[in-house]
Amino acid sequence: MYDKTVRRRRVALAVFIGLSLLLLTTFFGESGGGPLHAVQKGAQEALSPLEEGASRAGKPFSDLVGWTGDVLGAKGENEELEREVERQRKELARAQTDRNEAEQLRGIVGLNRQEGFPTSVEPLSARVIARSPTVWYSTIQINKGSGDGVEVDQPVIASGGLAGRVTSVTGGNARVTLITDATSAVSAQIMPEGATGVVKPEVGDPNDLLLDFVERRSSLKRNAIVVTSGFKSTRNLESLFPRGIPIGKVSRVDAGEIELYQRVHVKPFVDFKRMDIVQVLIPRSEGQRAELRGEASR
Amino acid sequence: MIPNGSAFLRAGGLCLAFVIVQVSCISQINLLGGGANIVPLYVAAVALYAGSIPGAAAGFSAGLLLDLAVGGDVGASSLVLTAVGYGLGRYREVRDPAHSLAPLPVAAVATLAYALGFAAVSFMLSSEADVSALVLRDTVVTVILNCLIALPAFVLVRRVLRPVLVVDPLERRRRRRGPRPTGPIGLRGIGDPGTQL
């Protein structure tokens, strides 16, 4: 009797472990459109109404807990923000002057044919209904899907700047992989220096991104703004993110003595742990762009 | 646990509820730089009250549902939570912890084992990004928060599963207590001057 119980217990463990390993192997072995990925999408579609309901029901509670935490850290943050606002005001005045000058310059060199961030995409607001509970997967689920025009690889922004990109879509919802996910990499540029690199995450610390592959000779300043570079090569290789979306600001620069590149630490503008509403940037049709250009010229 | 339809329904409903609440509500709450994770608590509670096989089954199903819901690598959470559920179930079968505060260390061990196991699996599945030391802080905060909410979570699981458990945990705890002192003629209460019948 005892032997039978022990055997049954061991068989059960072996079956569950074996099934888990089989699932893992199959999941990694198949393509993005394989059966397990399809089951995953179906499950997300089926669970999304429950998740949305639970998210709405639990919102007051999570807000209350968040508010308590916010109050504790608000005093110190307030002084910092006041200084930040003062600095931003000055920068805004300077930026508006610069913009006028830049527009005139674009007219001279014909750069105005290049489609910039504000006119090439149309933001679609969406609500965050679920998010990954571990630091290893930085993904969120939003309540807009292919029925609303959302497609895979479209960029997603949140309050402050770039949040991530759509990696999976079903009819009514979509999964967004944040730029803090281990698999994420975004081509970026430091303004106004113009140095370029690739923004990668540091797992476990959503307040610290790494801008890698920045040449050593580039001199960088703290608090310089980092934006998406939105490159487009002659071989039809194109960044998924339009140029000019703010990512964060430079917080620290590490330069190893023997390394060719500098590692720039970037503090993202987006608070990844407090995202409730995001916007998916859906490309405008050519007709809409032409219409916008017409309005702008009038 | 008595393996009948009611048991599957109760355990399955709890599993779904814990996973949905985790990904939709608890994950949105950020405290002290981390957040609670109630899925290991569910697995630990089932293992503590029902044993190793139900614990492993709960771990596998909760992990699978979690991976499907959040779009993670399917099988990774199942693998870790199956081991956690089985291990805690064996602990219950061998040591039979009956103290009313037993859920606290069990919850801490379950959360820590899940965090470390999941980190190990993630590393093995090639995480190419740098790993911050804050992962450790996140783990510690999650363990502390899980300990704080362990008692109500275990009580909820116990209440829902109680009708289908082979041994009632409360009854087990009562049996573990020593017999009350008896009086000179063998009746309880007579020999104790401070006690009145």
Side-chain angles (χ1 to χ4, degrees), chain B residues 39-86:
Chain B
V39 179
L41 295 185
Y42 161 72
V43 176
V46 173
L48 186 67
Y49 295 132
S52 58
I53 296 178
F60 177 78
S61 49
L64 183 61
L65 195 58
L66 188 65
D67 287 337
L68 290 175
V70 301
D73 299 329
V74 175
S77 297
S78 302
L79 185 65
V80 179
L81 286 174
T82 297
V84 170
Y86 182 82

Side-chain angles (χ1 to χ4, degrees), chain A residues 20-40:
Chain A
S20 301
L21 291 173
L22 184 71
L23 285 170
L24 259 179
T25 313
T26 313
F27 188 78
F28 273 90
E30 70 181 19
S31 65
L36 260 186
H37 284 82
V39 168
Q40 194 174 44

Side-chain angles (χ1 to χ4, degrees), chain A residues 8-10 12-13 16-17 19-21 23-24 27-28 36 39-40 43-44 47 50-52 54-55 58 61-62 65 128-137 139 141 175 182 201-205 210 263 273-276, chain B residues 16 20 22-25 27-31 33-34 37 52-53 56-57 60 64-76 78-79 82-83 86 90 93 114 118-119 121-123 125 127 129-132 134-135 138:
Chain A
R8 202 178 60 174
R9 199 174 60 222
R10 287 180 183 165
L13 178 66
F16 288 127
I17 295 283
L19 272 176
S20 301
L21 291 173
L23 285 170
L24 259 179
F27 188 78
F28 273 90
L36 260 186
V39 168
Q40 194 174 44
Q44 283 175 0
L47 292 175
L50 285 174
E51 288 169 349
E52 189 163 0
S55 176
F61 176 69
S62 56
V65 177
V128 177
I129 57 172
R131 67 181 68 214
S132 162
T134 74
V135 293
W136 297 94
Y137 303 128
T139 58
Q141 203 169 331
R175 192 169 79 232
E202 196 169 34
V203 172
D205 189 357
L210 289 172
R263 281 157 64 90
K273 291 192 170 176
R274 295 276 167 79
M275 279 191 306
D276 293 323
Chain B
L16 183 67
I20 294 291
Q22 174 60 43
V23 300
S24 306
C25 303
S27 292
Q28 319 258 16
I29 298 171
N30 179 37
L31 270 178
N37 189 352
S52 58
I53 296 178
F60 177 78
L64 183 61
L65 195 58
L66 188 65
D67 287 337
L68 290 175
V70 301
D73 299 329
V74 175
S78 302
L79 185 65
T82 297
Y86 182 82
R90 283 300 295 149
E93 287 160 1
Y114 174 63
F118 199 80
V121 171
S122 298
F123 269 121
L125 296 174
S127 171
D130 288 7
V131 178
S132 164
L134 290 181
V135 169
D138 187 84

Side-chain angles (χ1 to χ4, degrees), chain A residues 156-164 246 269-272 275-279:
Chain A
V156 176
I157 58 171
S159 173
L162 183 68
F269 290 131
V270 174
D271 185 353
F272 290 100
M275 279 191 306
D276 293 323
I277 304 288
V278 295
Q279 287 189 322

